[in-house]
Amino acid sequence: MAAYRSAAGFQRVLHAVKHVCFSKQRCGVIICRYSTVYDPTEKTFDKILIANRGEIACRVIKTCKKMGIKTVAVHSDVDSSAVHVKMADEAVCVGPAPTNKSYLNMDAIMNAIKQTGAQAVHPGYGFLSENKQFAKRLAAEGVSFIGPDTHAIQAMGDKIESKLIAKAAKVNTIPGFDGVVKDAEEAVKIAGEIGYPVMIKASAGGGGKGMRIAWNDEETREGFRFSSQEAASSFGDDRLLIEKFIDNPRHIEIQVLADKHGNALWLNERECSIQRRNQKVVEEAPSTFLDPDTRRAMGEQAVSLAKAVKYSSAGTVEFLVDSKKNFYFLEMNTRLQVEHPITECITGLDLVQQMIRIAMGYKLQHKQSDIPINGWAIESRVYAEDPYKSFGLPSIGRLSQYQEPLDLRNVRVDSGIEEGSDISIYYDPMISKLVTYGKTREEALKKMEEALDNYVIRGVTHNIPLLREIIVHPRFVSGDISTKFLPEVYPDGFKGHMLTAGERRELLATAAALYVAAQLRSQKFLGDLRVSVVPAESRQWELCVELDKGVHMLGVSRSGNNYTVEIDGEKVEVSGEWNLASALLPLTINGKHRTLQCLLRTAAGEITLQYLGTSFKLRVLSKLAASLSKHMPEKVPEDTSSILRSPMPGSVVAVSVKPGDNVAEGQEICVIEAMKMQNSMTAAKAAKVKSVHCKAGDTVGEGDLLVELE
C-alpha cells in the first residue's frame, strides 16, 4: 500500500512560496519570460497528480498553483524530502528508490490517484510520459492524461511506425531499415546494406538512451548489445532499428501545439546541436542557422505530422539538418521537452498551461500569425557530472552549499533541488536548467557567462566548467556548430579553461591578494586585534605562488581594499569587498569586473579558485615558507596501469573476466551502469588478470577498485 501524507505542514507552505515562478518583475529582477494568463471563468481540473520528480515536477506545480489547481506529488522513499514533495499540496510514496519500483510502478501510481481523487495526471518527461499502457489505464479509470491520446503515443513512440507515418505525411525522412532488427548478426547485415556509418537506436527510446553510432561490423555488434540492454532498462522494450547516420549534422527541433479540434501550431525551433553521448547539453532558441523559408518548411512539416496522427497536446518534432539546410525527420517526442523553457522565453506562452487547457478540451487561444520570436534564449543543462571524464560521467553526493543566480536580471532556473539535497545513483544527475534571455543572442550569451560565474554548487562535481567554455568558444559564438562540436573542439577530451598569459597573471594576483586579506583578518577578532601588542601592520609582502607546477615570486602592496600585485615586472590591480565568508568573490581586476569563487582555503596556503568557470589549485606561501617547503617529501602517485577503478558511481552489470585470464589492451573487463547509461570498462594494457573485486549486481562508488592486473 502506498504511503500517503497530507501537505498541511508549515515547511511545505514555505517551499511553495519560495519556488513559485513569477512572470512579472520581482524587486527589479525578471525571473522568467512566460505568462500564465488564467481566466477564472474557464472550468479546469480541481486536482492534478504529477507522475514525475525533480525539476519538471516543480515546473508543473508552479503553473498549477497560478491556475488555482491543487497538486499531488508522488515520490520514492529516498525522495520523501524532495522539493517537489514539499511544494505539492499532497504527497504519496509509491515505492523504494529503483525507478521500476516507484516512478515506473503503474499500480502504485494508480492507487495514489484513487487515494487522492486526482482528476488528471501530468507525466512530465521520461518515466511514464510516453507509455501508452499508462495512458490507457488512466482512460479506463476516467482520469485525464495531460498529453496526447494513446494512438499518437503509440504511433510516434515507436520509431519504426513513426517513420512510416512521416513518409506518408510527406515529411522528409532518413534512409534506413523500416523494421525491427532481430539480433546482432542481422544488424551487421542491414548496416552493410545501408552503408556505414549507421545509427542503432531503441524503437521506443528517447533522451539519448539506447543509441549507438557504428562505423564497422564490430561496433555494430557491440552497439546492438549495449543499445538493447539500455533500451530494456530504460523503456522496458529492447526493440532496435537501424538507419543511416547523417554525419556532422545539426539537431534542430520544432515545438508543436495541437488541440482536440484539429487546430495545430508550430512554435518555432530550438537548436540542440551541442550534445554528448546523444544527450543535449546547451540549447537555444531560435537557431542561428535557419532562414525564414527553412523555418516555415520545417514548421509546416511538423504540423502535418501532428495532424496525421490527430495529435493533441504539446509535442516536439526533431530533425537533423545538413550543411545545405536539407532536413530529415528524426523522431517525435509526445511529451513536454526538457528544453521547453527557451520556447516559452521567446514566445511568452506557458506550455504547461496550454497542455492543461488542451486536456480539458479547450481550443487553442492563438493562431500561427500570433506566434512571435521575441529575443533570444539559451539553456544550459547543469549536471552533477565530471566534465573531464568523457564530457560528463555522473557524480553523486549531497549539496553542501547551493545558491542559484536568481538575483540577476533575465535569468531563469528550473530546478528540483535545494541546499542539502542528495544526488543519487538512482536518477538522472541533472541539477537544473539554467536559462538566460536577451534581446539579442550576444546579450543572452553574456548573461549566461555571468549566471554561470554566480552559480554556487558545492558537494558534488558539476559541469559548469564545460558549459562556460562552450558558450565563449569562438565557434559557438559564431554559430558554427554541429552534433560533433564537442569531439571536434576537444579531440583529446575536455581539459578545462586554458589560461592566457594575462588571465594567468589575474589568477595569481587574486590568489595572492586573497591570501593577504585572510592573513590580515586572522589577526583580528570582532574588529579588534587578537593581542594587544603586535608589530605595525605590514603594507608590503613577498609571496611565492604555485600554479600548475610553476612557481612565481610576487610582490604585494595594499591600500585599503585595493591590492597591487607585481608579477614578472607586470602590475595587476585587484580590488573588492573581500568578504571571505561569502561563496562569491566579486572583484575588479585591472578595471574588469570578475566573479570568482573560493572553493578551498587552508592554513597551509592551499587555495582553490573557480575562475572563468574552471577550478584552479594554487598554493600561496611566504618567502620563508617557500624556501623550507623544498625539504618536504612528495607523495608518489599511484600506478594506475595495473588496476581498474570505477570512474563513476553505479552498478556492475557484467564482469567479462576472471583471475588468470589474459586480456588485450582495450578489451572489455566489465560494464558499469550509471543513471541508466551503460559504460564499458576496458584494460589499459595487455596483461594477466590478478584478481577481480566486483561481481554483477554490485553497487560501486567512484574510485572503487574493480580489477587488478599483473
Side-chain angles (χ1 to χ4, degrees), residues 170-189:
K170 302 190 184 309
V171 177
N172 305 343
T173 57
I174 302 171
F177 177 68
D178 298 330
V180 178
V181 183
K182 296 176 183 177
D183 53 39
E185 291 311 311
E186 186 181 28
V188 169
K189 179 184 176 184

Side-chain angles (χ1 to χ4, degrees), residues 152-163 180 203-204 237 239 241:
I153 295 174
Q154 164 66 34
M156 292 294 100
D158 187 311
K159 288 182 172 58
I160 297 169
E161 185 177 350
S162 67
K163 190 172 179 180
V180 178
S203 176
D237 184 343
R239 292 177 303 145
L241 62 88

Side-chain angles (χ1 to χ4, degrees), residues 18 21 52 71-72 152 232 321 447 536 554 557 595 603 650 660 680-681 685:
K18 175 183 174 185
C21 187
N52 216 299
T71 54
V72 179
V321 185
K447 185 59 66 175
L554 280 64
S557 59
T595 299
S680 176
M681 303 292 104
K685 64 179 183 179

Side-chain angles (χ1 to χ4, degrees), residues 280-345:
K280 301 160 190 172
V281 180
V282 177
E283 302 103 342
E284 61 182 306
S287 168
T288 60
F289 190 62
L290 296 190
D291 55 68
D293 289 340
T294 307
R295 176 178 295 116
R296 186 181 307 107
M298 292 176 70
E300 289 174 353
Q301 286 199 18
V303 165
S304 175
L305 180 61
K307 289 184 174 181
V309 292
K310 296 181 173 55
Y311 196 85
S312 61
S313 192
T316 299
V317 181
E318 300 190 352
F319 293 94
L320 290 181
V321 185
D322 68 19
S323 59
K324 296 180 180 178
K325 297 184 180 177
N326 298 309
F327 56 91
Y328 305 93
F329 170 69
L330 183 62
E331 64 183 1
M332 183 176 189
N333 297 127
T334 58
R335 53 171 166 80
L336 191 64
Q337 285 284 83
V338 175
E339 58 274 17
H340 76 274
I342 53 177
T343 296
E344 294 182 327
C345 286

Side-chain angles (χ1 to χ4, degrees), residues 48 157 171 208 290 317 337 341 367 388 464 523 542 643 667 703:
I48 291 175
V171 177
L290 296 190
V317 181
Q337 285 284 83
K367 297 179 181 178
Y388 301 98
I464 282 180
Q523 295 174 7
E542 288 187 341
I643 59 175
Q667 181 178 331

